[in-house]
Amino acid sequence: MFGVLTVVHLALGNLKDDAASLYLAVMSVIGVLSYAAAFLFIPITALETEAARWRQKLIGGISLIKAFLP
Amino acid sequence: MAWAGFGVWSLTLSGLLAASIKNIWLARLTPLKLRINLDIERMRKHSAYGFMITANDFVTYLRNESKNLILSKVAGPAFLGLYHKGESMSRLPNQFFMSATVEPVFRAMSKVQDDLDKSKYMFYRMITLLMAYTTPMYVLLWWIAEPFIGVVYGEKWIEAAGPMQVLATAGIFLNVIYPCGVVLAAQNKLRHESVALVVNLLVTISACLIGLKWGLRGVATGIVISNILLAIHLYFLVHRTLPTRVIDLFRAALRAFHSAP
């Protein structure tokens, strides 16, 4: 995650000084998404059961949304 | 009450009223039939443990307040305000996860007090999970400290980003300090923990006084160092209590980021 945020920070250039709120939003969203993706999809041994539980909830949520779609 | 012109008394009385109602309500809900028990031996046993808990809480309180006193007296209330803002922001991941983790683990660990292997398993499992949950949040806080403070609180608070960034690095050590505290409490080793906390109180005071020379970041760095020393001291006490090795601590911390082969 540190690596991902470093790459994003470098890619954003001077955005931190020019538009702090946009920089904050981009870094936060990418940080949270990369953490969620790592947590759910990288097979970290210590978190296997927790990750499986959250994957099930995610799948349940997607199914629920699909059911409401035409 | 505030509308009726009670002023500060509205806060005081509302707090007292809320606490009283909560206590009465909880007493009704709790399925315990309380009665006075004059068993002196049992009273002595429980009051001794309760006294040590209170003593440790008091030393922790002194640790926090001595820091505030020094910063306020030596550097002024504005400096204290900025430091406090940075510190409270950097502790957000702790507030989310620590009490939710510590309380059930303490209860479970107290039940298996005599089974040191189970206690050891729970201790390292707790460290692994806390590391996995909080470290990414500390990393994010480190990156966004300055824009976060600037956008959320305004430019006049921007200096609080410095201590926030530095103190975010201490989060990793809090993930060791709290589980160590749980083990020592569950194993009835609170006296040893008290000594560690008193030593750390002195370290914190010294760190604040020395760190002031380098401003907000200096004080924050001093506090990080005092947290590292407290983590080492408490782990040393756990090491004497449970059958474990130092390498187990590093394994537990790294396991949070280690993927399966």
Side-chain angles (χ1 to χ4, degrees):
Chain A
M1 186 172 156
F2 190 85
V4 170
L5 290 175
T6 308
V7 171
V8 176
H9 171 78
L10 292 172
L12 291 175
N14 280 335
L15 196 68
K16 189 176 174 182
D17 302 320
D18 300 339
S21 47
L22 186 61
Y23 174 89
L24 179 64
V26 172
M27 288 291 275
S28 303
V29 168
I30 291 178
V32 169
L33 286 179
S34 62
Y35 174 56
F39 177 73
L40 290 172
F41 303 113
I42 295 177
I44 297 170
T45 326
L47 299 173
E48 253 172 294
T49 47
E50 283 288 298
R53 199 160 60 88
W54 282 102
R55 268 199 303 271
Q56 281 300 320
K57 281 189 179 181
L58 190 70
I59 291 165
I62 293 169
S63 308
L64 198 70
I65 293 166
K66 272 185 182 171
F68 281 102
L69 289 175
Chain B
M1 287 172 78
W3 272 321
F6 280 83
V8 290
W9 288 103
S10 60
L11 278 174
T12 314
L13 293 174
S14 67
L16 284 172
L17 197 67
S20 306
I21 291 170
K22 191 179 172 187
N23 274 308
I24 293 166
W25 201 258
L26 285 175
R28 281 169 59 89
L29 291 175
T30 309
L32 282 175
K33 296 280 174 269
L34 299 178
R35 62 184 172 82
I36 294 169
N37 186 340
L38 293 174
D39 185 339
I40 300 293
E41 192 52 43
R42 196 172 290 178
M43 277 164 67
R44 192 175 292 153
K45 185 183 163 193
H46 289 297
S47 59
Y49 187 81
F51 175 77
M52 289 314 299
I53 295 262
T54 310
N56 283 358
D57 284 348
F58 184 65
V59 178
T60 306
Y61 171 80
L62 278 182
R63 183 174 177 258
N64 292 333
E65 293 310 312
S66 61
K67 187 173 61 191
N68 290 346
L69 183 73
I70 291 167
L71 297 186
S72 175
K73 289 285 176 196
V74 180
F79 186 97
L80 175 64
L82 287 167
Y83 178 82
H84 203 265
K85 180 61 71 191
E87 188 180 45
S88 62
M89 288 295 106
S90 69
R91 293 285 169 269
L92 281 177
N94 270 104
Q95 286 169 9
F96 285 137
F97 292 104
M98 223 45 105
S99 68
T101 316
V102 163
E103 285 164 23
V105 174
F106 172 68
R107 279 198 292 274
M109 227 182 241
S110 301
K111 277 185 187 167
V112 293
Q113 190 186 33
D114 298 325
D115 191 338
L116 295 181
D117 285 329
K118 261 191 190 160
S119 298
K120 179 182 155 184
Y121 171 78
M122 281 187 223
F123 170 63
Y124 285 122
R125 182 79 182 150
M126 188 179 176
I127 290 177
T128 302
L129 289 178
L130 284 173
M131 287 285 183
Y133 286 128
T134 63
T135 308
M137 293 173 85
Y138 288 122
V139 169
L140 184 63
L141 281 181
W142 187 86
W143 272 110
I144 63 168
E146 202 182 308
F148 180 82
I149 294 283
V151 170
V152 177
Y153 294 100
E155 288 302 311
K156 63 181 176 182
W157 289 98
I158 204 75
E159 281 179 74
M164 180 179 164
Q165 208 170 26
V166 175
L167 288 166
T169 60
I172 294 165
F173 302 99
L174 295 176
N175 290 339
V176 177
I177 290 170
Y178 282 88
C180 285
V182 173
V183 171
L184 295 172
Q187 293 292 326
N188 202 6
K189 301 276 182 185
L190 290 170
R191 205 176 293 271
H192 300 287
E193 191 185 356
S194 295
V195 175
L197 291 174
V198 170
V199 170
N200 196 255
L201 168 68
L202 302 175
V203 172
T204 303
I205 291 171
S206 313
C208 269
L209 290 170
I210 296 167
L212 271 168
K213 208 185 272 185
W214 291 276
L216 282 163
R217 277 182 183 269
V219 174
T221 308
I223 297 301
V224 172
I225 292 168
S226 83
N227 276 327
I228 294 171
L229 293 175
L230 181 62
I232 293 170
H233 196 159
L234 290 181
Y235 184 75
F236 170 73
L237 296 175
V238 168
H239 189 268
R240 289 201 322 189
T241 309
L242 299 177
T244 187
R245 293 170 302 161
V246 179
I247 191 78
D248 294 332
L249 176 65
F250 290 100
R251 278 193 189 135
L254 291 173
R255 209 172 289 141
F257 314 104
H258 184 260
S259 59

